[in-house]
Amino acid sequence: MQPVEACAMLFGRLSHGEAVVEKIDFAPNKLQSPVRFEIDPAEVAAAFTEAEEDGLDFVGLFHSHPAPAAPSSIDLKGMRLWGNALWLILSSTDGKLAAYQLMEDKVEEATIRIEKHTV
Ligand SMILES: [Zn+2]
């Protein structure tokens, strides 16, 4: 059995084209699926409110999946929904971590820096 995809919202700062993550807000995977993830809208709303109080911007989303650390076709649909959010993807097969961003409907690799790890 494959593990359920882990997912989190990333908050921090976007400066000089670099994303700095200061807060990683893990959320339960609503779909309880090893290959897909969805965060409950109530969790999203709560996380956004808290981040706003902390003066942090929404940077992007993190999730793991049992495939290479690149967006799947399902992820690509999600990327279109989330606008210019960064997508940090962890491959649960080889442990690689990579970040992507949709730029003019093209997937580009992005730079992401994690400064603090707060769950
Ligand atoms: Zn995925």
Side-chain angles (χ1 to χ4, degrees), residues 54-98:
D54 295 341
L56 301 173
D57 293 323
F58 175 65
V59 171
L61 292 168
F62 161 81
H63 79 283
S64 65
H65 64 205
S72 65
S73 55
I74 297 164
D75 293 339
L76 206 55
K77 282 184 192 157
M79 288 177 94
R80 292 200 172 102
L81 288 175
W82 283 87
N84 58 2
L86 265 87
W87 281 57
L88 184 64
I89 300 171
L90 173 70
S91 165
S92 55
T93 48
D94 63 14
K96 283 205 179 96
L97 190 66

Side-chain angles (χ1 to χ4, degrees), residues 16-87:
H16 310 291
E18 188 192 48
V20 180
V21 175
E22 292 180 30
K23 187 179 181 190
I24 302 172
D25 212 329
F26 280 90
N29 184 351
K30 208 178 138 194
L31 301 177
Q32 289 294 303
S33 157
V35 291
R36 301 186 62 160
F37 80 97
E38 195 181 306
I39 301 172
D40 193 302
E43 297 270 354
V44 176
F48 272 66
T49 304
E50 206 184 289
E52 205 168 291
E53 282 164 6
D54 295 341
L56 301 173
D57 293 323
F58 175 65
V59 171
L61 292 168
F62 161 81
H63 79 283
S64 65
H65 64 205
S72 65
S73 55
I74 297 164
D75 293 339
L76 206 55
K77 282 184 192 157
M79 288 177 94
R80 292 200 172 102
L81 288 175
W82 283 87
N84 58 2
L86 265 87
W87 281 57

